């Protein structure tokens, strides 16, 4: 297993560096590393690490969501108003509808299997979008109208909304039934998750105020609480549950509100933690891809993905109706909301791990979506922001472009 860990880290980081050098997202190099090292090509990874890859991917997802919580500006969301709220769920819902319409016809899956596939694909990628929106804010592009803030905030909640839907649909296909309560539980679990997360953040803020410990120890405490929340949610058999993933994100929001300086330092720690987590996440998801299966669904899967993206962009356009954004700025927001990677990598392999008949096709389409949309979305953002967004050089904190 030690050799496998070494290969994952060294080859994954090297391939990521090569991709960055040729202006591609580093995650693509990591995905290719996993595919090549995995059981379907060179078979160099220890079966033991593949057996726990689902848990490792969940840890990476927890780290992503906590990072999002530390960076989520609730006051900014309020300032932007209705479009910000709509961006949290409307584009993802439109994409899900698109997949429900296309996947049963083109991929031969049932409606509930299409819903699972849709809930995997319908999230935007923090790994691609977040650093680019932060760069835009630092350089003053689109900040006067709050465009990068809108995309950043919406993308953070969009991911969690989709993950809650995914949990609901996988529960249905496992025989937990389709009921009104299954859908009523979605907003309830989100609200309960928010309350639990903010309360935990508040208590941690008070604890850190009274007990002085190293920031590294604080990170370990937050991670431990996050793991416990996930275990509690998994063990609950009540009609109404709570979303552990929402709660985890709002721990960061709570700490940010009640202990801002600590939250900023911990955010830096989580950014460093993400360096290793990102490598494991994308390499391990690549290792689970059966490339032989990819050929069976290739063209049909591409059509489904492209169609879903069109539905998502339509959803973004509807969210921005009535705003003061120009057509160019709306076009930028529509393109910036298309890249997929992080959530698809984190949950794309779960249906296969659960033994669902649609597991192979869901994972294959998820990886294909990453390969297609991550570089295209990144290129679209990088090549268009100077042309489509106005620059506010007088905004506070604006830096000169690097």
């Amino acid at each position: 297993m030690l050799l496998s860990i070494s290969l994952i880290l060294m080859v994954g980081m090297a391939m990521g560096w090569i991709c960055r050098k040729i202006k591609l997202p580093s995650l693509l190099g990591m995905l290719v590393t996993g595919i090549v090292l995995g059981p379907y090509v060179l078979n160099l990874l220890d079966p033991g690490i593949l057996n726990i890859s689902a848990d490792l991917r969940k840890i990476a997802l927890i780290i992503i969501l906590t990072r999002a919580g530390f960076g989520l500006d609730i006051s900014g969301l309020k300032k932007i108003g209705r479009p910000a709220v709509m961006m949290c769920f409307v584009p993802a819902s439109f994409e899900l509808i698109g997949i429900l319409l296309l996947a049963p016809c083109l991929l031969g899956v049932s409606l509930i299997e299409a819903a699972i596939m849709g809930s995997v694909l319908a999230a935007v990628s923090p790994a691609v979008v977040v650093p680019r929106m932060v760069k835009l804010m630092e350089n003053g592009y689109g900040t006067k109208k709050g465009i990068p803030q809108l995309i950043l905030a919406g993308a953070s909640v969009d991911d969690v909304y989709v993950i809650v839907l995914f949990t609901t649909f996988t529960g249905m296909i496992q025989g937990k039934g389709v009921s009104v309560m299954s859908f009523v539980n979605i907003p309830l679990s989100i609200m309960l998750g928010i309350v639990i997360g903010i309360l935990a953040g508040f208590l941690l803020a008070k604890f850190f105020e009274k007990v002085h410990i190293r920031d590294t120890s604080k990170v370990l405490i937050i991670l431990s609480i996050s793991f416990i929340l996930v275990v509690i949610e998994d063990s609950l058999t009540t009609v109404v549950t709570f979303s552990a993933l929402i709660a985890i994100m709002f721990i960061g929001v709570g700490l940010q509100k009640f202990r801002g300086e600590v939250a900023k330092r911990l955010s830096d720690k989580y950014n460093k933690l993400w360096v290793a987590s990102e490598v494991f996440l994308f390499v391990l998801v690549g290792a689970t891809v059966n490339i032989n299966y990819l050929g069976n669904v290739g063209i049909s899967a591409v059509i489904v993905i492209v169609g879903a993206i069109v539905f998502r962009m339509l959803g973004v356009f509807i969210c921005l109706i009535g705003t003061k954004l120009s057509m160019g700025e709306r076009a930028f927001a529509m393109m910036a909301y298309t890249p997929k990677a992080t959530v698809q990598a984190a949950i794309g392999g779960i249906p296969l791990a659960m033994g669902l008949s649609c597991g192979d096709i869901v994972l294959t389409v998820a990886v294909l979506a990453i390969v297609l949309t991550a570089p295209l979305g990144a290129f679209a953002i990088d090549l268009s922001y100077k042309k489509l967004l106005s620059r506010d050089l007088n905004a506070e904190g604006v830096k000169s472009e690097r």
Side-chain angles (χ1 to χ4, degrees):
M1 188 178 287
L2 291 178
L3 177 60
S4 295
I5 293 172
S6 298
L7 288 171
I8 288 170
L9 289 172
M10 292 179 67
V11 182
M13 287 190 294
M15 289 294 289
W17 179 82
I18 290 170
C19 283
R20 282 197 302 275
K21 283 296 179 182
I22 58 175
K23 306 298 183 183
L24 289 172
S26 59
L27 56 92
L28 287 180
M30 298 170 196
L31 268 178
V32 172
T33 299
I35 292 171
V36 173
L37 296 180
Y40 299 103
V41 183
L42 297 180
N43 195 23
L44 295 178
L45 299 182
D46 190 294
I49 202 164
L50 295 176
N51 290 337
I52 62 169
S53 69
D55 292 320
L56 293 174
R57 293 199 303 270
K58 185 166 281 189
I59 291 170
L61 182 61
I62 287 169
I63 291 168
I64 295 163
L65 292 173
T66 311
R67 284 178 71 216
F70 284 131
L72 187 61
D73 182 8
I74 298 296
S75 61
L77 269 177
K78 291 178 182 176
K79 184 179 177 182
I80 297 167
R82 175 191 58 82
V85 176
M86 292 181 69
M87 289 283 277
C88 294
F89 64 91
V90 171
S93 298
F94 267 69
E95 185 168 1
L96 178 59
I97 290 168
I99 292 170
L100 285 172
L101 293 173
L102 296 171
C105 302
L106 294 171
L107 299 176
V109 295
S110 67
L111 205 59
I112 186 65
E113 289 171 339
I116 291 172
M117 183 184 294
S119 61
V120 170
L121 294 184
V124 70
S125 170
V128 178
V129 173
V130 170
R132 283 170 170 79
M133 293 306 109
V134 170
K135 180 183 175 183
L136 294 191
M137 288 188 287
E138 288 176 348
N139 294 322
Y141 282 97
T143 52
K144 194 169 186 179
K145 294 184 180 178
I147 296 167
Q149 298 94 315
L150 170 70
I151 294 167
L152 190 62
S156 300
V157 183
D158 166 280
D159 289 349
V160 184
Y161 167 67
V162 166
I163 291 165
V164 172
L165 286 178
F166 174 77
T167 305
T168 302
F169 292 137
T170 50
M172 289 178 183
I173 203 170
Q174 285 181 302
K176 296 180 182 178
V178 181
S179 65
V180 174
M181 276 309 298
S182 298
F183 290 97
V184 171
N185 189 42
I186 293 175
L188 287 177
S189 66
I190 290 173
M191 292 307 299
L192 282 172
I194 291 171
V195 171
I196 291 169
I198 290 178
L199 178 61
F202 171 76
L203 293 174
L204 282 169
K206 293 300 179 185
F207 176 74
F208 294 152
E209 186 179 349
K210 300 290 183 184
V211 181
H212 298 286
I213 54 177
R214 295 177 61 181
D215 287 342
T216 303
S217 299
K218 293 171 184 172
V219 168
L220 293 175
I221 290 171
I222 295 169
L223 279 174
S224 300
I225 292 171
S226 300
F227 298 158
I228 291 168
L229 287 171
V230 171
V231 171
I232 291 172
E233 184 194 17
D234 290 342
S235 62
L236 282 178
T237 56
T238 53
V239 176
V240 177
T241 59
F242 74 99
S243 170
L245 297 175
I246 285 273
I248 289 164
M249 186 171 76
F250 273 83
I251 288 175
V253 173
L255 271 170
Q256 181 193 144
K257 181 175 177 60
F258 299 111
R259 196 85 172 142
E261 277 301 314
V262 172
K264 188 175 180 181
R265 295 200 308 269
L266 295 183
S267 179
D268 292 337
K269 292 282 186 182
Y270 267 87
N271 288 340
K272 293 173 183 175
L273 199 57
W274 174 241
V275 172
S277 302
E278 181 184 35
V279 178
F280 274 99
L281 173 61
F282 290 108
V283 172
L284 288 174
V285 80
T288 59
V289 176
N290 186 341
I291 58 171
N292 299 319
Y293 197 78
L294 189 61
N296 298 332
V297 297
I299 299 301
S300 298
V302 170
I303 295 171
V304 170
I305 292 165
V306 172
I309 291 295
V310 171
F311 271 84
R312 168 173 275 272
M313 293 175 79
L314 176 62
V316 174
F317 182 80
I318 288 172
C319 292
L320 300 178
I321 290 174
T323 64
K324 295 180 180 179
L325 271 60
S326 68
M327 289 305 296
E329 290 166 336
R330 295 183 194 197
F332 174 82
M334 290 161 70
M335 290 187 292
Y337 229 52
T338 59
K340 303 183 181 303
T342 327
V343 175
Q344 289 71 29
I347 67 176
I350 292 177
L352 183 61
M354 292 168 65
L356 301 182
S357 59
C358 62
D360 263 323
I361 194 168
V362 169
L363 176 60
T364 303
V365 174
V367 171
L368 194 56
I370 295 170
V371 171
L372 290 174
T373 65
L376 290 176
F379 282 137
I381 295 169
D382 294 342
L383 295 176
S384 68
Y385 74 90
K386 288 184 180 179
K387 298 175 182 176
L388 299 179
L389 303 181
S390 57
R391 192 180 187 197
D392 183 9
L393 291 171
N394 298 319
E396 185 180 347
V398 171
K399 302 176 182 178
S400 61
E401 288 194 84
R402 295 183 294 273

